[in-house]
Amino acid sequence: MKKNGFTLIELLAVIVILAVIMLVAGQNVFGILGDAEKGAFRTEFIDFLNSAQVAAQMDIMNGKISAGNPKRCYTYTDLTEDYGYYTAKDGYNGSVQVIYNNGDFEIHGWLSSSKYIASNKDKNLTTDDISDSNGATASTDCT
């Protein structure tokens, strides 16, 4: 008798092997996706800080920041609507504190999205500094 095809046991063995491969590969893929999302949030955070620095430079030229008044808090609304230096994103909120001292800027920011949050961080932020927001929102008053 001629054998054409596979037995049920052989097919089940192949399915089990493929399922194990998918399980292992799937965990790695989801980990990579999570890291990519945190990396994108980090990029948004750095852009947010940079937009505050540009706003501060304009405020120095306009006399709003000076040696007598070196500190300024920019809210998310300030940078997106009032100054227009940062593009608003759904679910984002935060603030940036800029301190101007002899030509140097000290910049710290608070930013949250619907998924992540970073509080009182500077441009040296790493993805390890970003945590899940769990519904929390970032400070809007630089505290």
Side-chain angles (χ1 to χ4, degrees):
M1 187 187 288
K2 220 174 183 185
K3 185 176 176 184
N4 292 334
F6 300 102
T7 66
L8 182 59
I9 298 295
E10 292 170 330
L11 290 173
L12 287 175
V14 169
I15 290 171
V16 167
I17 291 169
L18 289 174
V20 169
I21 291 171
M22 291 299 294
L23 183 66
V24 171
Q27 289 176 345
N28 289 336
V29 168
F30 289 125
I32 291 169
L33 288 175
D35 290 345
E37 287 177 343
K38 276 188 173 183
F41 181 83
R42 180 186 176 278
T43 300
E44 289 297 330
F45 184 83
I46 301 296
D47 288 347
F48 188 54
L49 297 184
N50 288 337
S51 66
Q53 183 171 345
V54 171
Q57 290 167 336
M58 292 300 293
D59 285 346
I60 289 168
M61 292 187 332
N62 294 327
K64 294 179 183 177
I65 295 178
S66 62
N69 184 25
K71 188 188 285 189
R72 181 84 193 260
C73 178
Y74 297 95
T75 66
Y76 190 81
T77 303
D78 290 339
L79 297 173
T80 57
E81 295 174 15
D82 298 344
Y83 287 89
Y85 294 131
Y86 186 73
T87 304
K89 315 254 181 324
D90 286 339
Y92 278 70
N93 196 19
S95 59
V96 179
Q97 182 179 59
V98 177
I99 300 173
Y100 181 69
N101 186 13
N102 295 327
D104 291 326
F105 290 100
E106 181 183 325
I107 302 173
H108 288 239
W110 295 258
L111 186 65
S112 62
S113 69
S114 58
K115 193 165 187 175
Y116 299 112
I117 190 167
S119 296
N120 197 17
K121 301 296 181 187
D122 60 15
K123 290 182 181 180
N124 296 319
L125 176 83
T126 67
T127 54
D128 292 335
D129 297 325
I130 298 168
S131 54
D132 291 337
S133 67
N134 295 324
T137 58
S139 166
T140 57
D141 62 1
C142 297
T143 58

